[in-house]
Amino acid sequence: MSIFASIFCPKIRHTRLTENMEIKDKVFEKFIEGNDIAKRIKAIAKSINMDYNGKSPLFIAILNGSFMFAADLMKEVDISATISFVKVASYNDMESSGNVKQLIGLAEPIFQKDVIIIEDIVDTGRTIKKILNEFTSLGAKSVEVASLLRKPLASSADVNIKYLGFDIPDKFVVGYGLDYDSLGRNLKDIYQLKV
Ligand code: 5GP
């Protein structure tokens, strides 16, 4: 883990805000304000601008959940850069009897590029590991991860998130691009499932 992520990444453990939001059959409470998200994104972009000074990284945003984070992050990146978008499709492989994740829509050549993956949230770390392996095998010069959120399980998954927004508890969250049953992506704050 980078010094940046380990020292400056805020750990959000408790719900600090009380505004409730009903989405379908569930009640969520406000958890991270849009203003705080914006501040973290500015800090992340500042680090990226310094780390990639003189390079021209290729950002790859993982849709759908990262669309808002990606848009706001890119507005703060002031070095030469390109961005592309991919999706991760899950399907059940009968032979391996597991849920297999496949990357779709990768149109950009990755070979010899400095890649920064933009992800909304890392939970078990399975998705990001799959993507990291794929980009590495395609010959990327370097691959780093920028994730807005990280849940506790990710730390046992041995995934290095160089640019991290917030460490959060293991509770379902929605808003700022993240959905509950396709709803809530448009919310400018992040909400946590109320139990
Ligand atoms: P992982 O492979 O790390 O277990 O899962 C990562 C993916 O699971 C994320 O990209 C996201 O789509 C989904 N996910 C994990 N936790 C949450 C959550 O709390 N809320 C929402 N909306 N999606 C989540």
Side-chain angles (χ1 to χ4, degrees), residues 8 19 25 28 33 38 44 53 56 127 146 172 183:
F8 296 112
E19 266 175 72
D25 55 340
F28 293 83
E33 290 263 18
I44 290 171
N53 187 19
S56 186
T127 307
F172 192 80
L183 294 168

Side-chain angles (χ1 to χ4, degrees), residues 119-127 151 172-173 178-179:
E119 181 63 297
D120 53 354
I121 183 166
V122 178
D123 182 3
T124 62
R126 244 176 266 140
T127 307
K151 285 185 176 174
F172 192 80
V173 288
L178 291 126
D179 74 311

Side-chain angles (χ1 to χ4, degrees), residues 135-152:
F135 288 171
T136 305
S137 70
L138 288 171
K141 191 171 166 191
S142 67
V143 190
E144 299 292 356
V145 179
S147 181
L148 181 64
L149 305 171
R150 175 173 64 185
K151 285 185 176 174

Side-chain angles (χ1 to χ4, degrees), residues 173-188:
V173 288
V174 69
Y176 197 76
L178 291 126
D179 74 311
Y180 168 51
D181 209 6
S182 298
L183 294 168
R185 292 194 195 277
N186 52 314
L187 298 167
K188 70 175 173 16

Side-chain angles (χ1 to χ4, degrees), residues 9-122:
C9 168
K11 284 192 170 43
I12 297 197
R13 296 184 196 284
H14 304 290
T15 301
R16 301 167 298 164
L17 308 154
T18 51
E19 266 175 72
N20 286 348
M21 165 80 61
E22 257 183 69
I23 302 177
K24 282 187 91 176
D25 55 340
K26 302 257 185 292
V27 178
F28 293 83
E29 55 195 346
K30 203 187 262 189
F31 181 50
I32 310 175
E33 290 263 18
N35 285 343
D36 292 329
I37 298 171
K39 277 184 211 151
R40 284 298 301 151
I41 289 176
K42 274 191 182 11
I44 290 171
K46 199 174 167 190
S47 291
I48 290 174
N49 290 333
M50 283 188 326
D51 294 350
Y52 288 83
N53 187 19
K55 299 177 182 174
S56 186
L58 164 62
F59 288 85
I60 297 187
I62 313 300
L63 296 175
N64 295 330
S66 77
F67 81 95
M68 230 181 244
F69 176 41
D72 286 343
L73 179 65
M74 292 309 286
K75 284 184 251 175
E76 301 293 335
V77 168
D78 60 13
I79 52 169
S80 164
T82 54
I83 183 163
S84 190
F85 303 88
V86 297
K87 273 195 167 199
V88 178
S90 297
Y91 60 92
N92 278 315
D93 181 344
M94 302 303 275
E95 281 178 20
S96 70
S97 64
N99 198 249
V100 180
K101 292 185 187 292
Q102 189 193 10
L103 208 59
I104 51 175
L106 183 61
E108 300 287 322
I110 296 293
F111 188 69
Q112 284 299 302
K113 295 269 173 72
D114 290 307
V115 174
I116 303 175
I117 301 166
I118 306 180
E119 181 63 297
D120 53 354
I121 183 166
V122 178

